[in-house]
Amino acid sequence: IDLYMMSARQRLMSIALTVPDTAALLEAVKMLGESEELVQKLWWNVNHLRAGFTELGFDIGNSETPIIPVMLGDEDLAKAFSARLFEEGVFASPIVFPMVPRGTARVRVIVSASFSKEDCDAGLAAFAKVKAELAPRPVAGTEKKADVEAAGRRG
């Protein structure tokens, strides 16, 4: 039972909020009730980053939240990518098995309304730099259909 409680997939990240976290959450709800400015800024940042990641050639899935998954596939690559981003001043958590199925590892970008456009652009530049260094290639099963068909015609 102890092993199940510590490793069951449905229990991952299911810890109760602390008192300070609860107080912060209540204050955030209060702030959101007073103005829509932060919500608008958040979604501007999300859309700007999504467009930037797409332009850089990253698969960002279909998230409809301020959490952008940058799909990398390989677990070791996701960990190395996250570590290099951190060295560049960007925090993006690696999400690997058992939190996601094997072969679907990613780094998770959590967007904030507190980011300036310059912060977002610096983050995108760090992703571009790390991508160039680590040269991630599409992982089996994640290539775009047109790319697979084109490769079949060439090969």
Side-chain angles (χ1 to χ4, degrees), residues 10-110:
Q10 65 270 27
R11 296 206 29 108
L12 289 175
M13 303 207 201
S14 63
I15 299 169
L17 290 175
T18 65
V19 172
D21 289 331
T22 303
L25 179 61
L26 290 171
E27 183 61 25
V29 169
K30 178 182 168 191
M31 290 171 65
L32 290 173
E34 295 170 356
S35 170
E36 292 186 25
E37 181 180 343
L38 290 174
V39 174
Q40 292 170 353
K41 177 90 184 314
L42 171 66
W43 286 107
W44 188 93
N45 286 346
V46 168
N47 292 329
H48 181 67
L49 286 168
R50 280 185 186 150
F53 287 130
T54 300
E55 187 175 314
L56 290 171
F58 288 105
D59 174 1
I60 57 168
N62 296 312
S63 175
E64 296 179 4
T65 74
I67 299 172
I68 303 173
V70 178
M71 311 301 284
L72 297 172
D74 182 77
E75 292 184 13
D76 291 334
L77 176 59
K79 292 173 187 175
F81 212 98
S82 175
R84 277 294 296 123
L85 286 170
F86 189 75
E87 291 171 5
E88 295 295 321
V90 174
F91 182 75
S93 301
I95 308 299
V96 299
F97 180 83
M99 291 182 279
V100 295
R102 291 191 195 280
T104 65
R106 63 207 65 181
V107 292
R108 176 180 289 162
V109 177
I110 301 176

Side-chain angles (χ1 to χ4, degrees), residues 113-125:
S114 68
F115 297 167
S116 67
K117 180 181 184 303
E118 292 75 22
D119 293 333
C120 294
D121 291 343
L124 290 169

Side-chain angles (χ1 to χ4, degrees), residues 133-146:
E133 289 175 9
L134 299 180
R137 287 177 261 157
V139 177
T142 64
E143 301 93 347
K144 292 190 166 94
K145 184 178 178 185

